[in-house]
């Protein structure tokens, strides 16, 4: 099979396509003929060797996929051979075939293609768990989304609108803000045009109820300052490369709640919430009320370029690799 391979840690251009033996199937796994894989920020970090989990090279990157089950280990009861599935894994998705734990896969609802399914799981599930169970967003509330043109950010904009909030999107260029507007954002703020705090005060004079921050860095503090008394700030990621430090006197004076979300910890500590949210989100996907914006698609041979697009923050919404589909 053909696969993109990382033979040494480094920038995205270390990744190149090679002919490999198909992966062997372990207990609890199914073999997936990968239709589409989606690119996520942690894939870049795994290739760079700077992610919290290290995978020794050589390895096939790729943590999110959709495709058809072609074989199942003897102990697997579902999904069945022939079903289309989507889900995530640590590595291995940038290949024609992947061996994936059956328990981490979901059957693709009728009428949803591999591309949409592949690009849906990580970003939309993160956004939905954050909004429903961490921020506890209520209809009519004012939600500010940083990195609103990125994968998690755009999903947060869309699901915030679905949950009845008024959404202010903060991003770095017109393409990203256009995508956020198409997903229902009411206010658009380009953070490159000046100080974020006055820009947010202008559109939200009464302050925001919730800020969702997948970016970190210099934008976090002015966004937190834009909260009303008692508002909620949710830290989700640090795509800027910088973990912000918030002066605690701001928290004291404004009476705000600073909250965090991390997928594995949420799954471990709140499995009931996760199951309930995932069921609700799958229904939104099946009814086409929730879907990813796919900003760029590459063939498998373009894996390095796809990783670079995400590494440089250029992606609008999700970046995908069309492997055996399309
Ligand atoms: N906590 C969790 O469980 C969880 C789950 C999923 C993802 N995450 C994390 O959330 C973050 C965002 O993920 P994503 O998939 O939305 O990423 P993405 O699609 O690449 O979007 C990230 C956004 O960050 C901004 N950014 C600012 N400086 C950047 C830089 N130096 N490089 C890249 N982007 C930069 C960009 O927005 P502007 O151009 O508008 O500034 C970009 O659109 C990542 O750190 C990821 O690891 C965490």
């Amino acid at each position: 099979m053909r696969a993109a391979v990382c033979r040494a840690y480094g920038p995205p251009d270390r990744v190149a396509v090679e002919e490999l033996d198909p992966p062997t199937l372990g207990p609890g796994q199914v073999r997936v003929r990968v239709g589409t894989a989606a690119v996520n920020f942690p894939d870049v970090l795994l290739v760079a060797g700077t992610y919290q989990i290290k995978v020794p090279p050589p390895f096939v990157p790729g943590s999110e996929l959709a495709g058809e089950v072609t074989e199942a280990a003897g102990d697997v009861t579902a999904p069945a051979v022939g079903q289309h599935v989507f889900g995530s894994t640590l590595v291995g998705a940038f290949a024609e075939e992947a061996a994936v734990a059956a328990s981490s896969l979901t059957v693709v609802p009728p009428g949803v293609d591999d591309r949409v399914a592949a690009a849906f799981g990580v970003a939309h599930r993160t956004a939905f768990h954050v909004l429903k169970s961490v921020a506890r967003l209520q209809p009519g509330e004012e939600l500010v989304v940083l990195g609103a043109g990125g994968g998690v950010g755009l999903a947060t904009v869309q699901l915030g609108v679905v949950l009845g909030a008024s959404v202010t999107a903060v991003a770095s260029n017109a393409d990203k803000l256009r995508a956020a507007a198409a997903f229902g954002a009411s206010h658009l703020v380009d953070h490159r045009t000046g100080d974020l705090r006055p820009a947010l005060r202008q559109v939200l004079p009464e302050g925001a109820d919730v800020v969702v921050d997948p970016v970190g860095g210099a934008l976090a503090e002015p966004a937190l300052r834009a909260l009303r008394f008692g508002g909620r700030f949710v830290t989700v990621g640090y795509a800027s490369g910088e973990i912000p430090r918030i002066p605690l006197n701001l928290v004291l004076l404004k009476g705000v709640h600073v909250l965090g979300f991390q997928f594995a910890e949420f799954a471990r500590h709140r499995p009931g919430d996760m199951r309930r949210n995932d069921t609700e989100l799958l229904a939104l996907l099946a009814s086409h009320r929730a879907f990813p914006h796919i900003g760029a698609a590459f063939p498998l041979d373009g894996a390095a370029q796809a990783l670079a697009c995400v590494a440089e923050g250029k992606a609008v919404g999700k970046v995908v690799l069309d492997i055996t589909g399309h």
Side-chain angles (χ1 to χ4, degrees):
M1 68 166 191
R2 298 178 76 244
V5 182
C6 171
R7 291 216 163 259
Y9 290 139
D13 64 10
R14 291 280 164 82
V15 172
V17 171
E18 298 180 16
E19 194 66 39
L20 292 184
D21 289 336
T24 49
L25 211 56
Q29 290 188 323
V30 297
R31 185 181 303 284
V32 179
R33 189 173 64 89
V34 182
T36 304
V39 184
N40 286 287
F41 208 82
D43 302 329
V44 174
L45 302 179
L46 275 158
V47 166
T50 56
Y51 192 54
Q52 61 219 36
I53 303 167
K54 304 263 181 291
V55 179
F59 67 91
V60 174
S63 53
E64 190 170 27
L65 55 76
E68 186 182 349
V69 176
T70 57
E71 187 184 352
D75 58 342
V76 170
T77 51
V81 170
Q83 284 188 305
H84 275 254
V85 290
F86 69 108
S88 52
T89 165
L90 181 62
V91 291
F94 297 171
E96 289 175 334
E97 291 181 38
V100 186
S103 59
S104 66
L105 294 169
T106 302
V107 174
V108 176
V112 175
D113 65 25
D114 280 352
R115 237 191 198 187
V116 165
F120 186 76
V122 172
H124 274 78
R125 287 180 74 204
T126 299
F128 205 53
H129 297 314
V130 163
L131 293 176
K132 292 277 291 188
S133 296
V134 184
R136 298 179 187 276
L137 186 71
Q138 301 300 314
E141 286 195 316
E142 292 289 352
L143 167 68
V144 172
V145 182
L146 303 184
V152 171
L154 259 181
T156 307
V157 169
Q158 184 183 58
L159 293 169
V161 171
V162 165
L163 293 172
S166 161
V167 179
T168 298
V170 178
S172 65
N173 65 48
D175 282 349
K176 292 182 178 186
L177 290 171
R178 243 192 311 276
F183 270 12
S186 322
H187 301 298
L188 308 174
V189 174
D190 184 336
H191 66 77
R192 287 171 324 163
T193 56
D195 207 350
L196 182 60
R197 176 70 194 96
L200 287 175
R201 192 184 289 123
Q202 196 179 342
V203 294
L204 299 171
E206 304 299 319
D209 297 289
V210 173
V211 170
V212 173
D213 178 13
V215 182
L219 298 183
E221 185 179 325
L224 184 140
R225 286 178 184 272
L227 285 169
R228 65 162 177 78
F229 184 84
R232 291 95 79 200
F233 180 97
V234 189
T235 177
V236 180
Y238 311 105
S240 66
E242 188 193 330
I243 300 172
R245 293 176 185 280
I246 301 294
L248 277 182
N249 64 317
L250 279 182
V251 177
L252 178 150
L253 286 170
K254 296 181 72 73
V256 294
H257 304 260
V258 179
L259 304 156
F261 173 84
Q262 205 275 333
F263 225 106
E265 294 303 315
F266 185 73
R268 184 173 358 184
H269 295 286
R270 295 173 69 179
D273 282 10
M274 183 166 261
R275 265 193 305 277
R276 189 202 60 222
N277 294 343
D278 281 341
T279 302
E280 223 173 288
L281 186 60
L282 195 61
L284 290 172
L285 173 67
S287 61
H288 307 285
R289 292 182 68 207
F291 50 87
H293 173 93
I294 294 169
F298 295 82
L300 180 58
D301 286 311
Q305 290 97 305
L307 285 163
C309 182
V310 171
E312 291 160 15
K314 289 185 182 153
V316 181
K318 297 289 292 184
V319 173
V320 297
L321 294 179
D322 289 323
I323 297 182
T324 61
H326 288 83

